[in-house]
Amino acid sequence: MLILRKYTALLGIALSALSTIFCPFLKVPIKGNWNLYETDTSLFLITLGILGLLVLFFVLRKITLFRFTAILYLCWTVLGLVAVYFKINNYFGMKLVDGLLAKTLHIQWGWAVLIGSALIVVFSVKKVKEIN
């Protein structure tokens, strides 16, 4: 039997939604800090789409679907971090240019907030043994 800790789930969802907008994900030399929308628009839209599914399953009280989507969301955020890291380090396919680009672009602390909030959402679902 699965139990959903509602306040923990809401905290994780709200933190995820706010972190995509307000936290810096990438430091660009001239422009400054970029949020997730400025870093990669498709990554941002898919992230908010998965968050929308989480909210839908939360409202409908479909705990198994919520848990599955929460795990999918955690995997998606880790995959997004890895994709952005590899895009920074291998953008042009030329070693010299990619080395210069990797030295100028830096991943910021927004990724830690996003992955942490995804972990909060995953751990908001608890498995409990039934006593008969």
Side-chain angles (χ1 to χ4, degrees):
M1 178 179 194
L2 295 173
I3 294 177
L4 179 64
R5 296 182 206 132
K6 295 174 186 149
Y7 294 116
T8 308
L10 286 176
L11 174 72
I13 290 170
L15 195 59
S16 291
L18 292 175
S19 71
T20 58
I21 300 168
F22 296 113
C23 290
F25 284 82
L26 199 62
K27 181 164 178 66
V28 180
I30 297 172
K31 298 221 178 204
N33 292 327
W34 281 4
N35 60 16
L36 191 61
Y37 179 74
E38 293 168 326
T39 302
D40 191 353
T41 309
S42 59
L43 181 66
F44 172 75
L45 292 175
I46 294 171
T47 301
L48 287 186
I50 295 173
L51 276 174
L53 281 175
L54 278 171
V55 171
L56 177 69
F57 296 143
F58 179 81
V59 170
L60 294 177
R61 297 181 185 173
K62 302 290 185 187
I63 299 174
T64 54
L65 291 173
F66 182 87
R67 182 178 186 206
F68 174 74
T69 310
I71 293 169
L72 175 74
Y73 179 62
L74 177 64
C75 294
W76 176 253
T77 56
V78 171
L79 180 69
L81 173 64
V82 170
V84 168
Y85 176 78
F86 282 122
K87 189 172 184 178
I88 289 172
N89 290 316
N90 194 16
Y91 189 75
F92 292 107
M94 295 182 286
K95 198 171 194 175
L96 176 68
V97 178
D98 288 335
L100 291 173
L101 187 65
K103 288 179 184 176
T104 58
L105 298 177
H106 300 288
I107 291 179
Q108 293 289 84
W109 55 270
W111 288 105
V113 175
L114 186 65
I115 292 173
S117 61
L119 284 170
I120 290 172
V121 172
V122 168
F123 290 128
S124 68
V125 179
K126 181 180 175 183
K127 194 178 266 191
V128 182
K129 284 188 173 181
E130 288 186 40
I131 299 174
N132 291 345

